[in-house]
Amino acid sequence: MPYEAPTHTVERSIRAKTGAKIIAGIDEVGRGAWAGPVTVCAAITGLRRPPEGLTDSKLLTVKRRDALALELGDWVTAHALGHSTPQEIDDLGMTAALRLAAVRALDALPVRPDAVILDGKHDYLGAPWQVRTVIKGDQSCVAVAAASVLAKVERDAMMAELGAACAEFGFEANAGYPSPVHKAALEERGPTEHHRLSWSYLDALPKWRHLKKTRAPVLGVPVPEIEGQLGFDF
């Protein structure tokens, strides 16, 4: 399917309006999964012409995505990844877990960005970072598209490694997301140490429902999540 190539339009706008010189694109993967970490990549690309075919990782075949990730590793000015574990997601909630993973990625960069472009409409990063949110930024912004591909390939590789030890769950194919194989394994064997135990899929597992974790609200005030969980019916 044809698609428009990402550009540096947003980055140029931020530079012109704020004087920022170093701008990182940020994207995440794993938000809706039942198992595994949520992974965030921060990528700095400058204003150079991007590799041919760069776009949102979800629009690419596995073969093309893997090849592009190898090319991007040498092409980007800098990039770093951060992760939040299933346990951190359960304890903190997805919004705070995303921020934790993003800060870990940003802190791991060799230089501190003056501003960041965040994919989506919700600023889960916040102060002290100067943030511009862009809906579908992984398709329209070069740095965010690069982060999208690098994050997806990294997390898929991590989940494939977990799949070697948890073969029944099919992590190498579903990356911890809902799938018939994953659903069947959960019904029979229950969640592993790699699963998110606060997720709503456990409500549909009478045999394992007692394992569900409930996150205590801070000071009695529930923390709104930026996106609903994927339940057991899909």
Side-chain angles (χ1 to χ4, degrees), residues 71-118:
E71 188 175 355
L72 285 169
D74 293 327
W75 178 81
V76 296
T77 303
H79 80 281
L81 292 120
H83 312 277
S84 284
T85 66
Q87 292 73 30
E88 288 171 329
I89 293 169
D90 287 336
D91 291 342
L92 302 173
M94 181 52 75
T95 302
L98 273 171
R99 186 180 195 281
L100 180 61
V103 169
R104 286 170 173 166
L106 288 164
D107 285 346
L109 288 170
V111 293
R112 182 181 175 89
D114 302 313
V116 300
I117 304 171
L118 194 63

Side-chain angles (χ1 to χ4, degrees), residues 15-230:
R15 287 171 178 250
K17 292 180 179 179
T18 70
K21 295 181 179 179
I22 301 173
I23 301 173
I26 293 181
D27 199 16
E28 53 75 25
V29 63
R31 182 185 298 178
W34 288 345
V38 63
T39 297
V40 173
C41 180
I44 300 171
T45 64
L47 299 177
R48 291 171 296 146
R49 183 189 178 107
E52 188 69 28
L54 177 63
T55 188
D56 173 13
S57 64
K58 296 185 293 296
L59 300 179
L60 300 169
T61 64
V62 174
K63 182 178 179 180
R64 178 57 185 143
R65 189 165 58 227
D66 288 346
L68 194 54
L70 287 175
E71 188 175 355
L72 285 169
D74 293 327
W75 178 81
V76 296
T77 303
H79 80 281
L81 292 120
H83 312 277
S84 284
T85 66
Q87 292 73 30
E88 288 171 329
I89 293 169
D90 287 336
D91 291 342
L92 302 173
M94 181 52 75
T95 302
L98 273 171
R99 186 180 195 281
L100 180 61
V103 169
R104 286 170 173 166
L106 288 164
D107 285 346
L109 288 170
V111 293
R112 182 181 175 89
D114 302 313
V116 300
I117 304 171
L118 194 63
D119 181 53
K121 63 180 180 180
H122 298 283
D123 177 9
Y124 57 77
L125 189 56
W129 302 94
Q130 179 175 289
V131 178
R132 171 81 67 88
T133 58
V134 178
I135 296 174
K136 293 188 178 181
D138 47 11
Q139 295 182 36
S140 61
C141 302
V142 171
V144 180
S148 169
V149 172
L150 292 166
K152 174 65 173 168
V153 171
E154 170 76 8
R155 187 179 182 277
D156 280 358
M158 293 173 65
M159 295 306 296
E161 287 186 19
L162 294 182
C166 307
E168 301 86 354
F169 292 88
F171 290 155
E172 71 287 347
N174 60 48
Y177 282 87
S179 77
V181 170
H182 195 170
K183 180 178 180 180
L186 276 168
E187 289 178 320
E188 180 178 350
R189 297 176 176 272
T192 69
E193 63 181 314
H194 309 298
H195 281 86
R196 302 168 187 182
L197 298 182
S198 59
W199 247 224
S200 61
Y201 69 83
L202 277 168
D203 294 333
L205 296 172
K207 186 177 177 181
W208 309 106
R209 195 179 297 151
H210 65 283
L211 297 175
K212 187 175 181 181
K213 290 184 177 180
T214 301
R215 181 167 54 94
V218 179
L219 298 178
V221 180
V223 179
E225 294 294 354
I226 61 177
E227 182 175 294
Q229 301 172 16
L230 297 176

